[in-house]
């Protein structure tokens, strides 16, 4: 009875029969008995639901259906072998890896790796998509990308699903971005900024990720006010421009070097710490191209 399931190993027997012309020749080449070859071909015929060989004197020959299936089998076996090599952890890294990540991680961690991999492993092609963490993890869950570069904050931890594995990459302390003329006088020490004077100011948060707003609201609540969120901006460069123009205040990396018009003041404990991660589906980190990228971004 045809159950719709075909044993790939029997396809190889059929291909060998088409190539060698007799079951005896197949048996001799593969080191089995002629009876075993005959049984394999008969089982394959039952699986596909049609005769694959017919008598030809004292020998057998492929039926027209047998010839057609043998030609299909060549492509099927080649695809199976390609997949086996592709998934072999010991194989040379090769293939297309889709990466979704936030801009800072792409610049800092991924681009140097891509440049190096292009030289050492030209068979690896990396596709880069810029997304915020929630978007990137959603793409990863749908298998639309192979690797996600995401972030969270110590004050707004990211929830990682059990079927995902996160590798910590690096941390960056964040502070309060204010116009250059505000804050402690330079030379007298930049102690932690008091947020209270900024309670009535417009605040700027991220337009595509809620974690930034969660951090702002947590910090404000610790000193007794609710921030008035006015602007929602994704680009740090645009956040800088709005702060410089006096349109509001917001969080920026302490390492920010966007221009002389903005100062980034340190914040009192618990100060916000951005934490970057590389995330893959559990079990996928053994695929050689992904393993290559993971090892290199983690080392960077």
């Amino acid at each position: 009875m045809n159950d719709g399931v075909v044993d790939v190993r029997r396809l190889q027997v059929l291909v060998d029969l088409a190539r060698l012309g007799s079951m005896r020749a197949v048996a001799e080449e593969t080191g089995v008995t002629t009876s075993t070859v005959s049984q394999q071909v008969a089982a394959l015929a039952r699986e596909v639901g049609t005769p694959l060989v017919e008598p030809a004197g004292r020998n057998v020959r492929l039926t027209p259906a047998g010839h057609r299936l043998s030609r299909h089998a060549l492509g099927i076996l080649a695809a199976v072998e390609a997949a086996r090599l592709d998934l072999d952890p010991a194989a040379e890294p090769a293939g297309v890896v889709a990466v979704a990540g936030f801009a800072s991680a792409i610049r800092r961690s991924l681009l140097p790796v891509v440049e190096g991999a292009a030289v050492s492993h030209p068979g690896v092609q990396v596709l880069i998509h810029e997304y915020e963490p929630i978007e990137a993890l959603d793409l990863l869950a749908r298998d639309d990308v192979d690797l996600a570069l995401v972030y969270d904050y110590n004050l707004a931890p990211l929830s990682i699903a059990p079927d995902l594995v996160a590798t910590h990459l690096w941390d960056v302390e964040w502070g309060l971005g204010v116009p250059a003329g505000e804050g402690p006088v330079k030379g007298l020490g930049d102690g932690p900024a008091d947020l209270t004077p900024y309670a009535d100011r417009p605040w700027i948060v991220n337009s595509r990720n809620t974690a930034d707003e969660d951090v702002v609201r947590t910090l404000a609540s610790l000193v007794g006010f609710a921030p008035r969120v006015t602007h929602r901006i994704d680009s740090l460069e645009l956040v800088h421009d709005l702060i410089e123009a006096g349109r509001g205040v917001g969080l920026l990396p302490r390492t920010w070097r966007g221009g002389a018009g903005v100062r980034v003041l340190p914040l009192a404990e618990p100060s916000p710490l951005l934490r970057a991660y590389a995330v893959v589906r559990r079990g996928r980190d053994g695929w050689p191209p992904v393993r290559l990228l993971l090892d290199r971004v983690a080392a960077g």
Side-chain angles (χ1 to χ4, degrees), residues 151-205:
Y151 68 88
D152 71 358
Y153 293 96
N154 57 333
L155 301 180
L158 187 64
S159 178
I160 300 293
D163 62 335
L164 302 180
V165 178
T167 300
H168 178 257
L169 299 180
W170 38 264
D171 299 331
V172 173
E173 182 183 356
W174 280 48
L176 179 65
V178 300
E182 299 184 15
V185 178
K186 287 188 176 180
L188 298 182
D190 277 2
D194 179 7
L195 291 184
T196 306
Y198 300 94
D200 295 327
R201 296 283 285 274
W203 281 79
I204 308 165
V205 299

Side-chain angles (χ1 to χ4, degrees), residues 144-299:
D144 290 335
V145 299
D146 304 294
L147 173 66
L149 301 177
V150 304
Y151 68 88
D152 71 358
Y153 293 96
N154 57 333
L155 301 180
L158 187 64
S159 178
I160 300 293
D163 62 335
L164 302 180
V165 178
T167 300
H168 178 257
L169 299 180
W170 38 264
D171 299 331
V172 173
E173 182 183 356
W174 280 48
L176 179 65
V178 300
E182 299 184 15
V185 178
K186 287 188 176 180
L188 298 182
D190 277 2
D194 179 7
L195 291 184
T196 306
Y198 300 94
D200 295 327
R201 296 283 285 274
W203 281 79
I204 308 165
V205 299
N206 194 309
S207 61
R208 292 166 56 198
N209 188 33
T210 60
D212 302 70
E213 183 172 351
D214 291 342
V215 171
V216 166
R217 294 192 180 279
T218 297
L219 292 171
S221 70
L222 291 174
V223 294
F225 73 92
R228 180 164 57 91
V229 174
T230 304
H231 309 293
R232 298 182 183 276
I233 305 295
D234 177 55
S235 163
L236 291 182
E237 287 76 12
L238 185 52
V239 171
H240 172 102
D241 292 345
L242 288 172
I243 294 173
E244 184 176 19
R247 308 304 299 175
V249 296
L251 300 180
L252 285 172
R254 290 278 289 137
T255 54
W256 181 251
R257 298 292 182 268
V262 171
R263 294 179 68 186
V264 183
L265 306 177
L267 294 170
E269 295 294 336
S271 59
L273 188 71
L274 180 146
R275 306 175 297 193
Y277 303 92
V279 184
V280 297
R281 295 283 296 273
R282 188 172 298 278
R284 304 293 177 86
D285 54 350
W287 186 40
V290 168
R291 183 77 261 159
L292 172 71
L293 293 184
L294 269 178
D295 288 345
R296 294 197 177 187
V297 297

Side-chain angles (χ1 to χ4, degrees), residues 109-118 292-293 296-298:
S109 296
L110 184 62
L111 288 182
V113 166
V114 170
E115 294 171 2
L292 172 71
L293 293 184
R296 294 197 177 187
V297 297

Side-chain angles (χ1 to χ4, degrees), residues 27 33-40:
T33 66
T34 303
S35 176
T36 298
V37 174
S38 177
Q39 291 170 10
Q40 292 293 308

